[in-house]
Amino acid sequence: MLVITLLLCLSPFAMGQLGLDPEDDILPDLDLGIALRRVPRQVKALLNKETKPHIQDLSVKTTIISRYAFTAVSCTMINRHSTATKGVFQVQIPSTAYVSNFTMIIAGRVYPSEVKPKEKKVKQVKEGDAKPRKDEQGGQSESEMETFRVTVSIPGKNRALFLLTYEELLQRRLGRYEHVTSVRPLQLVSRLMVDVTIVDRSEITHLEVLPLRNGKSSPGIANGARTQGKPTIPVTTAIKQNKTFCKITFSPNIVQQARIATNGILGDFVVRYDLERELGIGDVQVQNGHFVHYFAPKDLPVVPKNVVFVIDTSASMVGTKIRQTKEALFTILKDLRPNDHFNFVSFSNRIKVWQTGRLVAVTPNNIRDAKKFIYMITPTGGTDINGAIQTGSSLLSNYLSSSGGHHNSVSLIIFLTDGRPTVGELKSPSILSNTKSAAREQFCIFTIGIGNDVDYRLLERMALENCGMMRRIREESDASAMLKGFYDEIGTPLLSDIRVGYTEDSVQYVTQNFFTNYFNGSEIVIAGKLTNQSAELLHVQVTGSNSDKSIVLETDVALQEREREMQQQVEAADAGPVGDDYAERVWGFLSVKDGLKSRLRSQGSQEREGFTQQVTNLSLAYNFLTPLTSMVLETPDGLLDENAPSNSAAEPSEEEVEDKPQSLHRNSKQPGKAVRKPVKKSITISKTSADGDPHFVVEFPLSKLTVCFNINGEPGQVLRLVSDHKHSGVTVNGKLIGAPAPANSRKQQRTYFSTIIVVVERPKRAYIEITPHKVILDGKDRLVLPCDTTVAVESDGLGVAIAGRSNVTVTVQGNIGFVILVHQYKNPAPYQRDHLGFYISNSKGLSKDSHGLLGQFLYQEVGLTELASNATVDEVPKNILEPSTPSTIHTSTPSPALKIKDRTVAVVKKTRKIYSGTQTVNCWFVKNNAAKLIDGQYEDYVVSHLFDTGDRPHGTNEM
């Protein structure tokens, strides 16, 4: 499976020269937006006192395409001092996100990272290094955010650039999506920018930017808190919006940062939004053979619920915990609906049931008595988790089996604890087994853990094995608000037993498509692969039960229309390369999440190992840093600070792997010759090329002739440009992207090369992937570099040199060279697309058996001749898709023709512009997709995918 590492386009200032002049100073670099003399003395004093490297630029850019968020962090640090100084790169990322790339460029050297399978036994980090200090966390919740941290030594008078990307699927809670960007650089930053772009097929119906969130306030939507009055958005926040697109920027200068917090802990930049919901089966989005299905029905009647609250009242709950728990329960009682039934169980070393042997209806008297029971709770004793779950399960099970159980109701247990089992059954496997036996798939169990002394793995498995969810509440947070918020998420069931099906044999590898419950304000997301990309329709059926009946929703989805809409949506928003494989990334993300849940629920070691292998393979395929993979950072000896923690938490053992999803390891091996070299933008290359839409040019030096032709392919096709797999081991493929033709053009559409892949088989398999925005070198080391930088790297005879926004030079073993021109448009016309031009600059290492649209001519010669009067030459019909008889051209006057092999090809004189229009060449043009010039027809050069290296038969063109 294709390994894709996503690197968003980074701000130009983050990719400047990496060297530092000895005379450089911080203050001249400040982008204050005001006169320098007006910088407050306190800010100057803070900067002058800094001994650690100064963060010159910090850019956090997020693009959210249909709820899937791609985030790229770019951080440039400057060491003003003459001696090496330690620099700390620290970023807090959402706990549900996966890191997909990390690269450092220090003093001109590139240090990549690589995602590898996690070893079963990992040495624990020393206890003192296990977590960042509290002041570094900035008061953020560990349950919502995790810290990615690297400490390196930056040479004197030099810069370091850190590039980090991560991805997440936003979850809908209480009718809102929430995206959080942690802005905690731990110091004042010269140039700071947070950029959030939202692109969706559905209309954006609600959008708000919250005040910066920090301290002990509860993160997330489900905190029950509401800002009094009209909230004040962060200073400098700018919003541009239309129906399906919005761009939000936050760029406080250094003085404005100091007014918020002088320690650089500004807080969370939070964007909330919601979308117009489609009725029926929901929204199905299609892209490149994958689909994503969003289902969030509205205006359905509420399903009655049967709920048992099981509350920890052990001695450790004394004080704030029990007070906040009682406050939340009092509020929840007010929100119970007339058709609901409920009961309470409190537990310590003793178990108390409010209403023995039954669930009661919601009446004023029952609510009053329940409040009395809650009020009288007094914390004491130990923690009998097993006994409490068994008692609550027995209450609910007996009620459901009696005549009082509502047929179409939703049943659940809400279990809350702040500790581990200390009384009764103490072993987690036994507690889990007993819980599953007691629930018998009749109801779901939702678990809540408060504080730091909770066995979260036990609570998570208890919830997952019984169709529920787990929620963590940190020690210092507002437990009352978070408890109420969690209840709000699950307190309004609308559907139960939801099953989503698709046309049989039309889809494969579908993610979870059965759901026990659907709660108001949430969303069900399913992704899968299409077995036939050219299919016209996909039948979708959703079944479920609501309060009084079973429902069936079904429709046929027009796949080609949905794919065109998706393409237009991404292009209109200028989403760049992140939009090209959004649907596949969502499928990979959900597949990993599903696999981890299945692994956690697995019973035997063989089943567990199967899920482990499945998740590991998916994580490696999509370059995700997950609980089963680790990120190895290539650095030379002495660069990485040995005494600093390499990540926010201790490395997990195999048994604890679920609790520690992000891990970063140091590898002291030097990454080959990954060095920065001067790169010239102006270069001399051959005329043999494929550029424009696309125009092919072939230079024949011995014949002193230049021949040109067009290939009118289809968007999405992959063309074989060079094929020498058996000999030199080199293959070059190019993928086409479509665009409308200019006004008054004879063509209906244009096609350009959007991606060029160079696959190398020797000395070992490697590849280079080039797009107009990024370059991936995947060989001994994996590098992802943006096309707007200027840098050169080399590893195992494979070299890449990028001249920012101009060209990319690829060299293989010193005797094969290709140059890829990068065509980017600042304000493109509708018929323009960012694209690539491919030029062969050195073919000495390619064999005489080379083939492909360009490769077949490298050792070929042609001759120029004339067709005599009344001579004939076969010509392929203009519509080559129709099996009509080739037409015959009758010439009345001599006309030019080419002799190649034993074929004669009619040509006309033309001129072509190459090298981005800087040069004009005269060439002999061959019509009809190079018919008779190339071996076979152009369709013979269409391959199945970008990494296809197989030899393909080419028809002959003998007369």
Side-chain angles (χ1 to χ4, degrees):
M1 189 177 290
L2 174 62
V3 179
I4 305 175
T5 299
L6 181 68
L7 186 62
L8 304 184
C9 296
L10 300 167
S11 304
F13 60 71
M15 300 302 299
Q17 295 294 326
L18 294 177
L20 177 62
D21 189 275
E23 301 300 321
D24 278 359
D25 193 8
I26 288 180
L27 288 178
D29 286 330
L30 298 182
D31 184 14
L32 299 172
I34 57 177
L36 189 60
R37 64 178 181 273
R38 296 177 59 191
V39 177
R41 293 180 180 177
Q42 296 91 331
V43 176
K44 288 184 179 180
L46 285 169
L47 296 174
N48 290 331
K49 287 181 180 179
E50 276 188 357
T51 57
K52 57 187 176 184
H54 177 70
I55 299 178
Q56 190 177 33
D57 302 310
L58 177 61
S59 167
V60 185
K61 181 176 181 180
T62 299
T63 302
I64 304 171
I65 301 179
S66 295
R67 298 80 143 176
Y68 194 67
F70 301 85
T71 300
V73 181
S74 168
C75 177
T76 302
M77 289 185 189
I78 177 173
N79 180 12
R80 295 178 297 163
H81 308 287
S82 57
T83 58
T85 306
K86 292 178 183 177
V88 178
F89 173 70
Q90 178 170 299
V91 177
Q92 289 187 323
I93 66 174
S95 59
T96 57
Y98 291 143
V99 170
S100 53
N101 183 66
F102 178 63
T103 301
M104 300 188 305
I105 305 178
I106 300 176
R109 300 181 72 90
V110 180
Y111 301 100
S113 62
E114 182 179 1
V115 174
K116 291 186 175 181
K118 181 172 289 184
E119 298 179 2
K120 289 188 176 182
K121 297 294 182 180
V122 183
K123 183 179 179 181
Q124 296 285 335
V125 181
K126 290 186 292 185
E127 185 177 353
D129 289 341
K131 294 181 180 179
R133 293 184 297 275
K134 187 174 180 180
D135 62 335
E136 291 174 342
Q137 295 185 65
Q140 182 55 277
S141 166
E142 287 180 19
S143 64
E144 298 289 333
M145 307 292 281
E146 292 174 346
T147 305
F148 185 98
R149 172 186 166 104
V150 174
T151 303
V152 297
S153 178
I154 304 176
K157 300 295 183 182
N158 233 304
R159 284 185 172 93
L161 173 62
F162 304 90
L163 306 173
L164 174 73
T165 65
Y166 59 87
E167 304 172 26
E168 63 174 322
L169 179 65
L170 301 185
Q171 298 179 8
R172 189 168 184 257
R173 296 180 180 175
L174 296 178
R176 298 287 186 269
Y177 302 97
E178 179 174 288
H179 180 266
V180 179
T181 304
S182 177
V183 189
R184 293 172 170 81
L186 307 182
Q187 60 173 268
L188 300 177
V189 177
S190 294
R191 288 182 289 271
L192 171 65
M193 173 167 290
V194 176
D195 184 310
V196 180
T197 300
I198 301 172
V199 186
D200 212 286
R201 199 176 76 90
S202 303
E203 182 178 346
I204 300 172
T205 57
H206 173 88
L207 177 68
E208 62 177 323
V209 179
L210 303 188
L212 288 173
R213 191 168 61 191
N214 212 333
K216 298 180 181 180
S217 60
S218 303
I221 292 174
N223 58 16
R226 293 291 181 266
T227 305
Q228 297 297 323
K230 187 176 181 180
T232 304
I233 65 174
V235 63
T236 76
T237 300
I239 302 174
K240 296 180 180 179
Q241 181 183 6
N242 60 30
K243 287 186 177 181
T244 60
F245 167 86
C246 75
K247 184 181 182 66
I248 304 163
T249 56
F250 170 58
S251 52
N253 62 43
I254 204 165
V255 176
Q256 292 163 330
Q257 296 169 45
R259 289 171 182 162
I260 300 171
T262 57
N263 61 0
I265 300 176
L266 278 63
D268 291 329
F269 185 78
V270 183
V271 177
R272 286 182 187 165
Y273 71 99
D274 197 28
L275 305 165
E276 181 66 36
R277 319 242 55 90
E278 290 196 15
L279 299 176
I281 58 97
D283 182 17
V284 178
Q285 301 191 5
V286 182
Q287 185 188 50
N288 297 335
H290 291 78
F291 72 91
V292 185
H293 183 188
Y294 299 96
F295 180 63
K298 59 181 181 179
D299 301 328
L300 293 173
V302 176
V303 178
K305 62 180 176 293
N306 313 306
V307 57
V308 176
F309 299 90
V310 182
I311 308 301
D312 187 346
T313 58
S314 60
S316 59
M317 287 286 290
V318 70
T320 302
K321 291 178 185 176
I322 196 65
R323 176 179 58 78
Q324 292 183 339
T325 300
K326 288 182 178 183
E327 290 174 359
L329 293 176
F330 287 146
T331 306
I332 289 170
L333 281 173
K334 296 178 184 178
D335 291 344
L336 291 173
R337 294 181 174 84
N339 290 331
D340 294 341
H341 290 77
F342 70 105
N343 203 343
F344 285 93
V345 175
S346 67
F347 72 96
S348 54
N349 56 326
R350 296 177 58 192
I351 299 172
K352 296 180 181 179
V353 179
W354 171 48
Q355 297 288 340
T356 305
R358 62 181 183 145
L359 269 66
V360 300
V362 177
T363 65
N365 288 339
N366 285 339
I367 295 296
R368 181 197 62 204
D369 292 343
K371 288 182 178 179
K372 289 181 181 178
F373 176 80
I374 295 169
Y375 181 78
M376 296 301 294
I377 289 175
T378 302
T380 183
T383 308
D384 186 359
I385 289 179
N386 184 71
I389 285 289
Q390 293 300 307
T391 301
S393 298
S394 178
L395 274 172
L396 197 48
S397 180
N398 291 337
Y399 172 76
L400 293 175
S401 62
S402 70
S403 58
H406 195 291
H407 176 66
N408 280 328
S409 60
V410 168
S411 301
L412 50 106
I413 287 178
I414 298 179
F415 177 84
L416 180 146
T417 183
D418 76 330
R420 301 169 180 267
T422 61
V423 176
E425 179 60 65
L426 303 182
K427 296 180 179 179
S428 293
S430 298
I431 294 174
L432 292 169
S433 177
N434 294 341
T435 301
K436 193 169 185 179
S437 298
R440 291 181 296 171
E441 298 183 354
Q442 300 177 94
F443 48 83
C444 300
I445 299 177
F446 295 82
T447 59
I448 304 167
I450 302 179
N452 301 326
D453 192 33
V454 179
D455 186 346
Y456 283 111
R457 188 166 185 269
L458 170 62
L459 296 189
E460 186 175 13
R461 287 199 62 178
M462 189 182 294
L464 283 177
E465 291 180 0
N466 298 281
C467 66
M469 295 184 294
M470 183 201 70
R471 187 61 48 84
R472 302 186 186 196
I473 302 177
R474 64 189 178 96
E475 194 79 42
E476 304 87 355
S477 66
D478 185 351
S480 176
M482 294 196 73
L483 278 171
K484 177 59 170 62
F486 185 51
Y487 173 79
D488 287 345
E489 287 185 51
I490 62 177
T492 310
L494 299 183
L495 289 174
S496 60
D497 299 327
I498 306 100
R499 187 177 299 276
V500 185
Y502 306 93
T503 310
E504 189 175 358
D505 299 329
S506 292
V507 300
Q508 57 183 342
Y509 305 119
V510 176
T511 58
Q512 179 185 348
N513 64 339
F514 175 78
F515 304 87
T516 307
N517 297 302
Y518 167 74
F519 299 104
N520 188 40
S522 64
E523 183 172 62
I524 289 172
V525 185
I526 305 163
K529 295 185 176 183
L530 299 171
T531 55
N532 181 7
Q533 292 192 41
S534 61
E536 291 293 330
L537 297 175
L538 177 67
H539 186 74
V540 182
Q541 183 184 72
V542 180
T543 61
S545 299
N546 65 3
S547 59
D548 55 0
K549 62 181 179 180
S550 296
I551 64 169
V552 178
L553 305 171
E554 55 186 328
T555 192
D556 288 324
V557 176
L559 294 175
Q560 304 302 320
E561 179 183 343
R562 291 295 174 94
E563 180 146 24
R564 284 193 296 270
E565 290 177 355
M566 185 69 198
Q567 183 68 23
Q568 291 170 0
Q569 165 195 330
V570 173
E571 291 176 356
D574 193 23
V578 300
D580 294 342
D581 54 4
Y582 134 80
E584 182 178 355
R585 303 294 289 183
V586 175
W587 175 83
F589 185 92
L590 286 176
S591 297
V592 169
K593 294 287 185 183
D594 288 351
L596 287 172
K597 290 178 182 177
S598 299
R599 181 179 181 272
L600 199 58
R601 288 193 297 259
S602 60
Q603 300 300 313
S605 58
Q606 185 173 355
E607 183 184 10
R608 179 183 174 88
E609 181 57 34
F611 286 120
T612 298
Q613 193 60 49
Q614 172 189 332
V615 174
T616 300
N617 291 341
L618 280 168
S619 302
L620 295 176
Y622 290 94
N623 214 58
F624 285 154
L625 181 55
T626 68
L628 299 180
T629 56
S630 57
M631 182 168 277
V632 178
L633 179 62
E634 301 286 358
T635 64
D637 290 329
L639 181 65
L640 192 68
D641 180 13
E642 296 278 6
N643 298 317
S646 60
N647 63 311
S648 63
E651 302 296 341
S653 64
E654 172 68 11
E655 290 73 21
E656 298 172 323
V657 70
E658 287 82 5
D659 294 332
K660 310 294 181 186
Q662 312 288 352
S663 58
L664 178 68
H665 301 281
R666 173 179 180 265
N667 189 332
S668 61
K669 181 180 65 177
Q670 184 159 332
K673 295 181 179 180
V675 297
R676 186 176 183 277
K677 302 175 181 178
V679 179
K680 295 181 179 179
K681 286 197 173 186
S682 177
I683 53 178
T684 302
I685 49 183
S686 75
K687 299 175 184 176
T688 300
S689 59
D691 206 342
D693 64 343
H695 297 158
F696 286 74
V697 175
V698 179
E699 186 178 24
F700 296 92
L702 295 180
S703 306
K704 296 183 179 180
L705 291 174
T706 301
V707 177
C708 50
F709 57 91
N710 296 345
I711 294 294
N712 297 316
E714 295 296 327
Q717 286 183 335
V718 179
L719 301 182
R720 174 67 47 78
L721 300 177
V722 177
S723 176
D724 196 29
H725 179 74
K726 289 184 178 180
H727 300 278
S728 66
V730 173
T731 302
V732 182
N733 297 324
K735 184 176 182 179
L736 296 176
I737 188 174
N744 302 319
S745 173
R746 290 175 299 173
K747 295 183 178 181
Q748 292 184 349
Q749 70 171 359
R750 288 182 162 194
T751 51
Y752 303 90
F753 284 116
S754 63
T755 307
I756 300 289
I757 291 283
V758 181
V759 181
V760 179
E761 295 293 335
R762 287 185 280 277
K764 62 180 183 180
R765 186 175 175 85
Y767 74 86
I768 299 172
E769 177 179 351
I770 304 103
T771 74
H773 301 277
K774 69 175 183 291
V775 177
I776 298 175
L777 168 58
D778 195 321
K780 180 180 179 181
D781 313 299
R782 181 179 177 83
L783 300 178
V784 182
L785 298 171
C787 286
D788 54 6
T789 185
T790 297
V791 68
V793 295
E794 183 180 327
S795 180
D796 282 350
L798 195 59
V800 175
I802 304 174
R805 296 190 183 90
S806 178
N807 58 70
V808 179
T809 300
V810 175
T811 56
V812 182
Q813 301 302 330
N815 57 8
I816 300 173
F818 308 117
V819 175
I820 295 89
L821 299 191
V822 177
H823 302 289
Q824 295 182 358
Y825 299 95
K826 290 185 178 179
N827 298 297
Y831 56 86
Q832 293 174 321
R833 295 286 185 272
D834 289 351
H835 65 281
L836 303 172
F838 175 76
Y839 293 76
I840 300 177
S841 58
N842 184 358
S843 59
K844 292 180 180 178
L846 295 171
S847 75
K848 293 185 177 180
D849 293 323
S850 296
H851 217 274
L853 285 169
L854 290 176
Q856 63 185 293
F857 301 114
L858 294 177
Y859 294 94
Q860 189 65 258
E861 286 304 323
V862 297
L864 187 62
T865 184
E866 289 186 346
L867 292 174
S869 178
N870 297 323
T872 62
V873 59
D874 287 341
E875 185 181 71
V876 174
K878 291 184 178 179
N879 186 354
I880 60 174
L881 297 179
E882 296 181 3
S884 55
T885 305
S887 59
T888 302
I889 301 175
H890 295 274
T891 63
S892 57
T893 59
S895 60
L898 292 178
K899 291 288 292 184
I900 182 167
K901 295 185 177 178
D902 53 357
R903 304 191 294 264
T904 303
V905 188
V907 293
V908 295
K909 193 78 170 179
K910 273 201 175 184
T911 59
R912 277 278 164 85
K913 290 185 179 296
I914 58 174
Y915 308 159
S916 299
T918 60
Q919 290 191 30
T920 301
V921 296
N922 296 316
C923 62
W924 294 102
F925 180 73
V926 180
K927 300 179 181 179
N928 298 327
N929 285 320
K932 299 298 179 183
L933 176 69
I934 59 175
D935 292 336
Q937 298 180 347
Y938 104 85
E939 289 91 346
D940 297 328
Y941 300 85
V942 176
V943 297
S944 59
H945 55 83
L946 276 166
F947 293 85
D948 188 338
T949 60
D951 293 325
R952 307 180 70 82
H954 300 281
T956 61
N957 284 318
E958 295 180 3
M959 294 184 63

